[in-house]
Amino acid sequence: MSSPPQPGGGVIDPSIEAVFIQCGFYSGFGKSGYPATPSSCGAIPYASLCPALPDRSAVGWINVWKNGWTIILGEPTSKQISSYCVYPTESVERSLKSSAKIYTGAQGDFRQSRSIATASRLGGGTLTDTTGYVDRGADLTRPSDFAGAWTPRFDASTGTTANGDPLYGFYGLSWKMDYRLCETWAYQDWVNEPPSYDCSRAGADTSLTGYTYACDTTPPLQEGLREGALFDPAACTNGQWECSTESKIKISGQTGPLSVMRNGEPLAVGFSPLTITGDVLKKVRAEQVKVTLADGSTPINPQVSDPNSKQQYFDASWAWGEWVKKESSDIRFHWASEKERPFHFSSQYRFTGDFKVKKQGSLSSGVQTVWATDTASCGSSKSPKITVLRAVSRNG
């Protein structure tokens, strides 16, 4: 609009002004895709001004004014010269505005194994802790309030053995996260219709994080699956305790070569004593021995390979090749040995004790020092070489 003249001027400078008046909002749609239910423009008192058409309603109307100034008084004047209705030309369309993954529930599991391969597999290993199923309570009529990341709190606990010791090993923390994929659909902004949501598509995300719970690190529970980790208390404290034994087994009180008769009389066998020391070790108990027959020993029944068979040419008070209690023992011979092929054997030793190690009860808990039971090896020893002679006749 041009600047008006000052009062008392002799020139009229008219101008045209168009004023848009918006109708009320739409409240429904016709089959053609345009708003069809009459809005305020098609209702009284505006029904005659902008009536609803068969396929749409007006969005408003425009009044056209002619403005000017009076010649004598210099006052502004305004005169409506026309008016017309405005109807939408754009088709009303519902379109996808956004989509979001809404997590609705989840379950977390913590599992232990002694194998990296098992810990790397969902569902592998022994379950030590779980959240159970956690329902988030998401309101799918308000998906924007629940969009984004979500994980229930879970301070997963490590396991313990039957006697309460730390259950070391490889752990896998797995999550199964249920979700709905919610799509937001809406009409153009000038259409007074709230958005609608489609949350019919469901799915689940899974994840797996590995941890190593070992007694050779501090803290003992650390993220990642570590090759070479130590899980046995005896091995973790190795170098902080000692176990020694004598190199020779005694046969009838002797450690050197000896000759015995094949008369089936018992010969006393004295396995070597164990000497165990160390501040990280207590309650030493359950000393055991495993006895193995040396290759080439005779007498041995060539028809029988099992040294524990009742058909062997000898018998002992222990089971060959098995861990047994270390105690006073004996052996008997019922056949003579072959020349230059004496009978001899070796023994391995082990014991059970409590070892001082580190424990971590959960992912976020502190580290404790505890005593854990384990079995440790303790060297070996060999028997003297025994030449078995034919028995002298009882009547001779």
Side-chain angles (χ1 to χ4, degrees), residues 29 32-35 88 90-94 187-188 190-191:
F29 306 102
S32 64
Y34 293 96
E90 178 184 2
S91 176
V92 176
E93 295 180 350
R94 193 172 74 109
Y187 294 95
Q188 292 93 330
W190 47 268
V191 178

Side-chain angles (χ1 to χ4, degrees), residues 73-313:
L73 299 179
E75 295 178 349
T77 61
S78 180
K79 179 181 180 181
Q80 182 176 344
I81 59 176
S82 65
S83 178
Y84 58 91
C85 297
V86 180
Y87 293 88
T89 59
E90 178 184 2
S91 176
V92 176
E93 295 180 350
R94 193 172 74 109
S95 61
L96 177 65
K97 299 300 183 181
S98 64
S99 63
K101 185 180 289 186
I102 309 300
Y103 290 105
T104 56
Q107 177 164 332
D109 292 335
F110 206 38
R111 294 178 177 272
Q112 181 269 354
S113 73
R114 283 292 187 104
S115 164
I116 288 181
T118 302
S120 301
R121 185 176 68 248
L122 283 170
T126 301
L127 184 68
T128 64
D129 199 6
T130 181
T131 61
Y133 191 80
V134 180
D135 189 337
R136 188 182 184 187
D139 184 354
L140 298 182
T141 65
R142 298 183 292 109
S144 60
D145 293 350
F146 298 90
W150 172 76
T151 304
R153 185 180 181 279
F154 185 27
D155 186 20
S157 297
T158 56
T160 56
T161 64
N163 59 356
D165 292 337
L167 184 63
Y168 297 117
F170 299 109
Y171 280 74
L173 175 59
S174 63
W175 284 102
K176 180 177 181 292
M177 308 283 292
D178 294 334
Y179 66 81
R180 291 295 185 94
L181 189 62
C182 290
E183 297 177 338
T184 301
W185 293 80
Y187 294 95
Q188 292 93 330
D189 294 339
W190 47 268
V191 178
N192 188 31
E193 282 289 319
S196 61
Y197 306 103
D198 180 2
C199 298
S200 60
R201 294 173 59 186
D205 289 337
T206 57
S207 65
L208 181 63
T209 304
Y211 292 84
T212 300
Y213 185 30
C215 52
D216 62 341
T217 59
T218 301
L221 182 60
Q222 299 184 11
E223 185 173 341
L225 302 175
R226 177 168 57 89
E227 293 277 4
L230 298 181
F231 304 136
D232 300 320
C236 288
T237 55
N238 190 26
Q240 302 178 62
W241 59 268
E242 293 183 357
C243 181
S244 59
T245 183
E246 297 175 1
S247 62
K248 291 292 186 179
I249 300 169
K250 290 182 179 181
I251 305 294
S252 297
Q254 299 184 45
T255 57
L258 72 157
S259 297
V260 300
M261 306 306 291
R262 65 166 193 176
N263 56 10
E265 293 294 329
L267 304 173
V269 177
F271 294 110
S272 302
L274 308 183
T275 302
I276 306 169
T277 59
D279 294 337
V280 297
L281 175 62
K282 70 177 184 178
K283 295 184 180 179
V284 175
R285 58 199 181 274
E287 294 183 7
Q288 292 182 305
V289 61
K290 182 165 70 173
V291 188
T292 306
L293 183 63
D295 292 338
S297 292
T298 63
I300 187 169
N301 187 341
Q303 305 300 319
V304 180
S305 60
D306 182 7
N308 293 307
S309 172
K310 293 182 178 180
Q311 298 177 356
Q312 270 300 352
Y313 293 157

Side-chain angles (χ1 to χ4, degrees), residues 323-337:
W323 286 105
V324 296
K325 182 179 179 181
K326 189 171 79 69
E327 58 187 353
S328 298
S329 305
D330 58 62
I331 189 169
R332 297 172 174 84
F333 295 97
H334 310 287
W335 202 266
S337 57

